[in-house]
Amino acid sequence: MAADLYTQAKALFPYLSDELVRLYADNWATTGDTGLALMAVRSNRAVYDRYFPGNLRQDGTIRLGEMDYLSTVEGYKRRVGSFGVPADVVLGPDRLKSLIEGDVSPNEFGDKLNALYVGVITQSDFIREAYARDYGAGGLSDAAIFASALLNDGKTSPIELERRIRSAQVGGEAASYGFSLAKAESERLSSFGLDQQASRKLFAQAATDLPNLNDLLGRFNDSTDPLTASDYADAFVIQDPNKLNVLTRLLGRQAASFGPDQGQFATDESGAVTGIKAR
């Protein structure tokens, strides 16, 4: 009888593991009720959670039917695989659990992967390093960066993810010219509208200007602390009045010493750097 019920259960649920099918068949044999047998399978968390992590809510109800769950997981795997990354490297049980509990659809997950691919993975090592350092990627591999999309229980919003990518691009472009920005500074600059292209121009100009400006600073005894890339960015991006005053005064002295063709930053109404114009 039990063997017959197992065969019938396997026909009913071909997508379930043998362990779950046997659990269903055993409970069916005991209760004689298919509905109670299915409830018994789902209420056995020790077994069920191994095959459907994240699907059971605290009250014992399920988020997705088992077929829909498996279809959703397959959707996640296809989207990871489309970038040439082994799905099992990115999608372990804990990460699947976070996605399911966060009600993240395969399309939403795919959008996050695509944003990371375009904004970080295809970029320079400086940007990859900035992202990995600041946002917990745990490594520079494509798989590690993709896995970071699953942090915070899979609930990182597209807007928040884009903010992180822009910040990493700012920090990475600074690093490419030898400057080190703290995460908070990169985030602050990107929040003021500094994007990757403007960052590249800003820090290229800073690399040119700062040695001469710090030399002038020492000669005129304006300060004992050398100017940094953060000071430079705060002046021309955030329009910090004190730093802008210092930089403007020094750039004026530099222009007087070296000629009129020094760089000057163009800004939009918000003060964000939009480019460099000739003086």
Side-chain angles (χ1 to χ4, degrees):
M1 179 63 175
D4 289 342
L5 288 180
Y6 173 83
T7 301
Q8 292 179 57
K10 191 64 177 175
L12 285 171
F13 305 107
Y15 46 86
L16 293 184
S17 69
D18 283 349
E19 185 175 15
L20 289 177
V21 171
R22 290 189 184 282
L23 183 60
Y24 178 90
D26 289 344
N27 280 278
W28 188 7
T30 300
T31 65
D33 188 298
T34 56
L36 290 176
L38 184 57
M39 287 177 61
V41 170
R42 291 170 174 170
S43 64
N44 190 328
R45 285 184 175 271
V47 177
Y48 188 86
D49 284 348
R50 290 207 304 270
Y51 298 99
F52 297 96
N55 201 37
L56 277 176
R57 299 187 181 95
Q58 287 300 315
D59 63 4
T61 60
I62 61 171
R63 292 182 167 85
L64 298 168
E66 285 75 18
M67 282 192 69
D68 288 338
Y69 182 102
L70 295 172
S71 177
T72 298
V73 169
E74 184 59 31
Y76 296 151
K77 291 180 177 180
R78 282 199 304 270
R79 282 155 180 80
V80 172
S82 69
F83 292 97
V85 175
D88 58 350
V89 174
V90 177
L91 294 170
D94 289 342
R95 290 170 179 158
L96 282 177
K97 182 174 183 289
S98 72
L99 286 170
I100 296 296
E101 289 181 343
D103 296 319
V104 179
S105 73
N107 284 339
E108 290 175 302
F109 181 56
D111 288 343
K112 289 182 179 182
L113 298 183
N114 190 62
L116 285 168
Y117 182 77
V118 173
V120 178
I121 287 175
T122 61
Q123 301 293 329
S124 69
D125 284 346
F126 294 107
I127 291 173
R128 292 169 69 106
E129 288 169 3
Y131 183 88
R133 179 192 67 233
D134 290 345
Y135 299 110
L140 298 183
S141 69
D142 293 0
I145 292 172
F146 278 141
S148 72
L150 306 179
L151 298 178
N152 298 328
D153 296 330
K155 295 177 183 177
T156 305
S157 70
I159 293 174
E160 168 63 15
L161 184 62
E162 184 59 33
R163 185 187 70 81
R164 294 180 182 186
I165 291 170
R166 287 199 311 270
S167 174
Q169 289 173 342
V170 170
E173 291 297 343
S176 72
Y177 289 97
F179 302 120
S180 178
L181 294 186
K183 173 185 173 182
E185 179 69 3
S186 297
E187 290 182 341
R188 191 159 69 108
L189 292 173
S190 64
S191 74
F192 272 80
L194 190 66
D195 61 16
Q196 183 178 8
Q197 183 178 9
S199 295
R200 189 175 298 131
K201 293 181 180 180
L202 174 75
F203 295 114
Q205 192 65 41
T208 298
D209 285 344
L210 283 175
N212 290 331
L213 297 182
N214 278 318
D215 181 60
L216 288 170
L217 196 64
R219 278 196 276 154
F220 287 97
N221 296 316
D222 285 313
S223 172
T224 57
D225 296 324
L227 293 165
T228 66
S230 292
D231 295 325
Y232 199 88
D234 284 352
F236 291 113
V237 179
I238 298 175
Q239 302 283 287
D240 179 288
N242 294 326
K243 292 177 181 178
L244 185 60
N245 179 57
V246 171
L247 266 294
T248 300
R249 185 174 70 253
L250 288 172
L251 285 168
R253 288 173 178 169
Q254 178 178 263
S257 300
F258 299 107
D261 56 343
Q262 306 302 314
Q264 173 76 24
F265 287 101
T267 62
D268 60 19
E269 292 180 357
S270 70
V273 172
T274 58
I276 301 174
K277 61 183 181 182
R279 289 193 188 129

